[in-house]
Amino acid sequence: MRITKGIAVSPGVSIAPAFIFIDDSAEIPQYHITVADVQGEMDRFREASLLAKKEIEALRDHAKKEAGEEQAAIFDAHLMMLDDPELLEQIEFSLNDNLFNVESAIFSFETEMVDKLSSSADPLIQERVSDVHDVVRRILGHLIKKERISLSDIQTEIILVAKDLLPSDMVGMSRSMVRGIVTESGGRTSHAAILARAFEIPAVLGVGPDFVDQVKPGQALYVDGEKGIVAVDPDDVFIQREKAARLARVQWEKENKELREVFAQTKDGTRISLVANIEMPDEVANVVEYGAEGIGLFRSEFLFLGGHVPGEEEQCKEYTRVVQAMQGKPVIIRTLDIGGDKVLPELGAIGEKNPLLGWRAIRFCLEKTELFKTQLRAILRASIHGKVKIMFPMISTIDELIRAQGLLAEAKWECKAHGHRIDPNIETGIMIEVPSAAICADVLSRSCDFFSIGTNDLSQYTLAVDRGNQKVAYLNEPYNMAVLRLIRMTIGYGEHAHIGVSLCGEMAADPASAVLLVGMGLRTLSMSALAIPAIKRTLMSVTLEEATALAQQALSMHTSSQISALLTSKLNL
Ligand code: PEP
Ligand code: MG
């Protein structure tokens, strides 16, 4: 048995065989050829295309039988692309012109097509990008002769092991089969961690390099997402631990059911609103199950990471589903926060040197205005089914906020022009997750109705620490004084402007931090639904006076460890 330690990011314990996920999309061989090799390379291309064609035809027939003509039409489009003589001509031209192998000619073709399609103003043309990716990956799969691993195809219970996992990998995976996750990189606030918690899958991230190479497919793995422990070939002690954890979980669920009916409040009766973060609409069942009073953050971009760009109707349907399930309780839908680690090649967000400092979130939407307004119209239309609010991510200047509000006004007009009913007084808010926004929150407060503090990014940008890089995860301290000052500043500006301030970063889901934040003045905390019962219990054990005194003391301290020690000693956690 071998034990490895990593960062505990999603609670729970499980044992299952390892499934090694290696994304081979980046590994496209590239080598020089001579003119004499061109015909041989073309033959390879024809052969791989033929195999891809057979595969697509089978998929089309299956789709027609299972899902109907409309779904099958996607594959017809793929077949048309494969049969297009221009594709053959372009590959031949590229082989002769560049004298590189056929895999790299196909890769160049893909890049060129993606650039061309994604720069189109027509969303229908933009949507074709995913078709190009699909067809190209299929041909490359046959050329490179590697099986295309898809996380949606997993049929038995496994522990997913990977170097890194992108949110888009996780969105499509077959969740009920993934009993645990272990990755070499990643941190507590990386999106893989957030999704693991949302899907209630025990996860240990950041176990360090080489783990993937040391585990064989099918080897038994024990994952403890609370202690951050991974055991390869676990012995009897670990097997017993897993059994005990399963029993404890049943008891925990029973106790939480009782707590669901109780409102969150401090010992002396100050009401605190505990709302939930969700990524996918089907998480709304958990939101209700764990007794959230609303949705404080719907990360809408996850609807876009499933392989295609949803149009207005589809988005409207998904938002409405969530809003209706919440039965009048508030639902804050954050507009598309794409970019950074949430990569969407279909939309052309590719190839940046510093994606986290690049074309992300509102910056992307202010350029792709049709896509942005499509989403805004979908949200506006869903707003008549309950209490919806719109939130803009990554606002870093007042200009951005004003432009976003301008596009929202246009979207409202467009809805009206098409005869759609909307909530005309829908509230709009912004994420405070870039230091410049916290510093200028007094000015920003004049152009929006609420703030939601995003400590995941606020810490990342304040401390210059990539939230997904385990090498520097130690710098991402829970109570860094600079971050605390920015939080306090935001709360102060919000109070002064009489607008609502809440916090939806992962910090809200930590019991000790929740007390600190309430002591600093927050009355609404948004977190993964799973965390709500524990936070409720902790808040019920302190008075507001105690929390305020603790916060005052904490804010006078200079190091995270001092604050940690203070909270642990005073809170009995
Ligand atoms: C944050 O940055 O704190 C946040 C809540 O947004 P996300 O984690 O989606 O970046
Ligand atoms: Mg963020």
Side-chain angles (χ1 to χ4, degrees):
M1 185 178 72
R2 206 157 20 90
I3 295 174
T4 306
K5 282 216 80 169
I7 305 169
V9 304
S10 179
V13 178
S14 56
I15 296 181
F19 178 94
I20 317 286
F21 176 65
I22 298 171
D23 177 20
D24 56 13
S25 59
E27 292 174 23
I28 294 170
Q30 190 181 40
Y31 49 89
H32 282 290
I33 56 167
T34 65
V35 178
D37 297 325
V38 170
Q39 270 325 307
E41 289 297 281
M42 279 307 287
D43 289 345
R44 290 182 62 221
F45 176 69
R46 284 195 193 90
E47 195 188 321
S49 301
L50 207 65
L51 290 169
K53 190 173 169 180
K54 281 193 187 141
E55 216 172 75
I56 299 172
E57 281 168 348
L59 282 169
R60 181 197 53 191
D61 296 345
H62 181 73
K64 202 178 275 179
K65 228 190 288 149
E66 299 291 320
E69 290 284 348
E70 210 179 311
Q71 298 300 323
I74 301 175
F75 298 108
D76 283 326
H78 291 189
L79 289 170
M80 265 170 66
M81 203 184 303
L82 264 179
D83 285 338
D84 187 350
E86 213 182 305
L87 172 65
L88 209 69
E89 272 167 36
Q90 281 204 33
I91 298 295
E92 191 160 15
F93 179 81
S94 164
L95 287 171
N96 279 310
D97 208 41
N98 302 319
L99 291 179
F100 271 111
N101 58 322
V102 71
E103 289 91 338
S104 80
I106 295 171
F107 185 60
S108 312
F109 164 80
E110 180 186 25
T111 314
E112 223 170 88
M113 284 295 282
V114 168
D115 278 355
K116 204 153 90 188
L117 296 173
S118 54
S119 62
S120 163
D122 182 347
L124 283 177
I125 294 186
Q126 286 180 5
E127 281 171 22
R128 293 208 46 222
V129 171
S130 55
D131 296 333
V132 173
H133 279 305
D134 211 320
V135 171
V136 165
R137 294 292 130 173
R138 216 171 276 286
I139 305 174
L140 282 174
H142 288 292
L143 279 166
I144 301 168
K145 297 221 167 38
K146 267 192 194 158
E147 229 178 284
R148 278 159 49 98
I149 301 175
S150 166
L151 294 179
S152 58
D153 295 339
I154 299 170
Q155 310 259 331
T156 54
E157 294 195 343
I158 51 105
I159 304 280
L160 180 57
V161 179
K163 288 198 176 294
D164 193 10
L165 279 174
L166 286 177
S168 50
D169 296 326
M170 291 182 69
V171 166
M173 76 187 180
S174 89
R175 279 184 237 166
S176 58
M177 293 298 155
V178 180
R179 311 292 303 144
I181 294 175
V182 184
T183 63
E184 289 184 358
S185 61
R188 236 200 104 66
T189 62
S190 65
H191 286 101
I194 290 170
L195 282 176
R197 283 193 288 278
F199 299 164
E200 297 190 41
I201 302 174
V204 178
L205 307 190
V207 291
D210 304 331
F211 185 80
V212 167
D213 299 331
Q214 289 162 10
V215 179
K216 292 191 203 73
Q219 202 165 12
L221 286 186
Y222 165 97
V223 176
D224 182 336
E226 210 150 315
K227 296 201 174 76
I229 292 174
V230 181
V232 184
D233 291 328
D235 63 14
D236 249 12
V237 175
F238 281 89
I239 293 169
Q240 291 312 322
R241 267 196 215 174
E242 193 255 359
K243 275 197 190 131
R246 242 187 297 147
L247 289 177
R249 167 80 196 199
V250 174
Q251 178 62 21
W252 182 84
E253 274 170 13
K254 194 168 147 257
E255 284 166 15
N256 287 337
K257 276 222 169 78
E258 289 156 14
L259 205 62
R260 185 174 58 191
E261 315 303 333
V262 184
F263 282 123
Q265 56 183 357
T266 55
K267 209 169 169 181
D268 54 335
T270 304
R271 288 272 288 109
I272 311 293
S273 177
L274 299 185
V275 290
N277 294 351
I278 64 166
E279 289 69 36
M280 303 293 279
D282 57 6
E283 284 172 52
V284 81
N286 269 357
V287 174
V288 176
E289 168 81 23
Y290 293 115
E293 293 178 46
I295 292 177
L297 168 64
F298 178 176
R299 292 181 163 100
S300 71
E301 58 276 10
F302 285 90
L303 284 179
F304 292 68
L305 293 176
H308 82 289
V309 177
E312 181 174 329
E313 295 306 320
E314 187 181 340
Q315 287 188 57
C316 179
K317 216 164 91 196
E318 297 290 4
Y319 302 143
T320 302
R321 186 147 74 93
V322 171
V323 174
Q324 283 177 333
M326 292 310 294
Q327 300 183 336
K329 292 184 179 135
V331 175
I332 299 180
I333 303 177
R334 180 175 76 182
T335 59
L336 195 57
D337 181 2
I338 215 70
D341 63 342
K342 290 177 279 194
V343 199
L344 202 59
E346 284 84 348
L347 294 178
I350 42 173
E352 288 182 285
K353 286 225 170 85
N354 279 311
L356 289 169
L357 299 180
W359 198 35
R360 229 196 108 171
I362 199 70
R363 303 168 181 184
F364 178 88
C365 287
L366 290 177
E367 208 172 309
K368 298 263 181 191
T369 52
E370 279 317 311
L371 184 91
F372 187 39
K373 283 199 293 175
T374 301
Q375 177 173 43
L376 292 173
R377 288 193 302 270
I379 301 175
L380 286 166
R381 287 170 58 189
S383 69
I384 56 162
H385 298 286
K387 177 129 194 62
V388 177
K389 303 180 191 189
I390 295 177
M391 178 154 73
F392 302 122
M394 275 284 284
I395 294 286
S396 57
T397 68
I398 182 69
D399 286 345
E400 283 175 331
L401 176 54
I402 289 168
R403 282 176 62 206
Q405 294 286 24
L407 290 165
L408 177 62
E410 280 180 31
K412 286 184 183 176
W413 273 109
E414 287 160 6
C415 283
K416 282 182 200 149
H418 283 92
H420 296 305
R421 283 195 305 126
I422 61 167
D423 170 4
N425 301 317
I426 194 163
E427 285 187 21
T428 54
I430 60 171
M431 295 279 302
I432 300 287
E433 53 184 344
V434 180
S436 63
I439 294 163
C440 302
D442 53 338
V443 176
L444 293 167
S445 69
R446 294 177 208 146
S447 299
C448 63
D449 303 306
F450 64 91
F451 291 153
S452 186
I453 305 172
T455 42
N456 306 338
D457 277 317
L458 190 61
S459 304
Q460 160 166 267
Y461 294 126
T462 305
L463 306 170
V465 168
D466 176 347
R467 59 196 259 195
N469 182 344
Q470 100 280 359
K471 270 218 149 80
V472 287
Y474 72 97
L475 284 168
N476 210 345
E477 307 168 312
Y479 308 111
N480 179 277
M481 69 181 287
V483 178
L484 291 180
R485 284 181 181 188
L486 290 174
I487 296 173
R488 188 178 53 177
M489 210 163 171
T490 307
I491 298 172
Y493 283 141
E495 277 171 356
H496 191 253
H498 302 291
I499 67 167
V501 184
S502 59
L503 188 143
C504 62
E506 292 309 299
M507 187 179 182
D510 173 69
S513 308
V515 174
L516 175 66
L517 294 168
V518 166
M520 286 170 76
L522 287 176
R523 296 294 174 266
T524 304
L525 300 175
S526 191
M527 64 201 74
S528 131
L530 189 64
I532 289 180
I535 299 296
K536 204 181 261 187
R537 232 176 248 124
T538 307
L539 292 177
M540 284 159 83
S541 71
V542 286
T543 64
L544 185 63
E545 207 180 314
E546 284 163 350
T548 312
L550 260 181
Q552 261 171 13
Q553 215 180 331
L555 285 164
S556 70
M557 294 175 157
H558 297 172
T559 71
S560 181
S561 48
Q562 283 171 335
I563 299 176
S564 246
L566 169 77
L567 295 174
T568 317
S569 69
K570 293 279 166 62
L571 292 176
N572 245 337
L573 289 171

